[in-house]
């Protein structure tokens, strides 16, 4: 199975390998976790990323929303780095482009907020 590829993103939806999602997602090297919901909505928490911590990835690309409203607290970045996972955070459009570029070269995951 190949690493999932983002084909399209626009506010409120994303297309990954031909399938359209209208809720936030986590993309792992072997699957997509749909309907991703966070404890505190616009503040990412370590607990929100259990699937990422359980997967062997080198990089997590975080899509902070179309307007960058989802924050990534320092303690979350630190927990990921302690697990050997580099964190790259951008607005979701740029995060999608970054994810697609990085997926060609290594084990990468993405946690994407699709709206604000």
């Amino acid at each position: 199975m190949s690493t999932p590829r983002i084909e399209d993103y626009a506010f409120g939806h994303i297309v990954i390998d031909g399938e359209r999602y209208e809720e936030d997602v986590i993309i792992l090297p072997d699957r997509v976790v749909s309907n991703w919901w966070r404890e505190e909505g616009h503040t990412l928490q370590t607990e929100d990323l259990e699937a990422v911590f359980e997967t062997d990835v080198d990089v997590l690309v975080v899509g902070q929303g179309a307007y960058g409203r989802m924050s990534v607290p320092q303690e979350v970045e630190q927990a990921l780095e302690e697990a050997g996972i580099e964190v790259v955070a951008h607005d979701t459009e740029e995060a999608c482009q970054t994810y697609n570029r990085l997926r060609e070269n290594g084990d990468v995951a993405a946690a994407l907020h699709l709206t604000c």
Side-chain angles (χ1 to χ4, degrees):
M1 174 181 217
S2 65
T3 303
R5 182 176 179 284
I6 298 170
E7 296 172 359
D8 184 46
Y9 164 73
F11 186 95
H13 80 271
I14 192 167
V15 178
I16 304 166
D17 291 339
E19 188 165 344
R20 181 182 171 106
Y21 299 87
E22 294 183 354
E23 60 276 319
D24 296 353
V25 297
I26 292 180
I27 305 173
L28 301 171
D30 63 343
R31 70 187 187 283
V32 176
V33 178
S34 62
N35 201 22
W36 175 49
W37 192 251
R38 289 161 310 286
E39 287 282 322
E40 294 189 31
H42 287 114
T43 303
L44 191 60
Q45 301 294 314
T46 304
E47 298 79 24
D48 300 328
L49 299 171
E50 283 183 32
V52 174
F53 284 106
E54 294 170 355
T55 305
D56 186 25
V57 295
D58 299 320
V59 180
L60 172 65
V61 179
V62 178
Q64 296 178 279
Y67 310 114
R69 296 229 173 113
M70 187 178 74
S71 67
V72 182
Q74 184 175 2
E75 57 268 16
V76 173
E77 287 187 33
Q78 184 175 350
L80 287 160
E81 288 171 6
E82 287 173 1
I85 302 169
E86 178 185 351
V87 181
V88 178
H90 299 293
D91 66 72
T92 300
E93 184 172 350
E94 186 174 346
C96 289
Q97 295 167 5
T98 299
Y99 167 83
N100 274 341
R101 187 175 62 251
L102 292 175
R103 70 181 274 280
E104 301 294 328
N105 299 319
D107 292 323
V108 62
L112 304 171
H113 178 45
L114 302 183
T115 56
C116 50

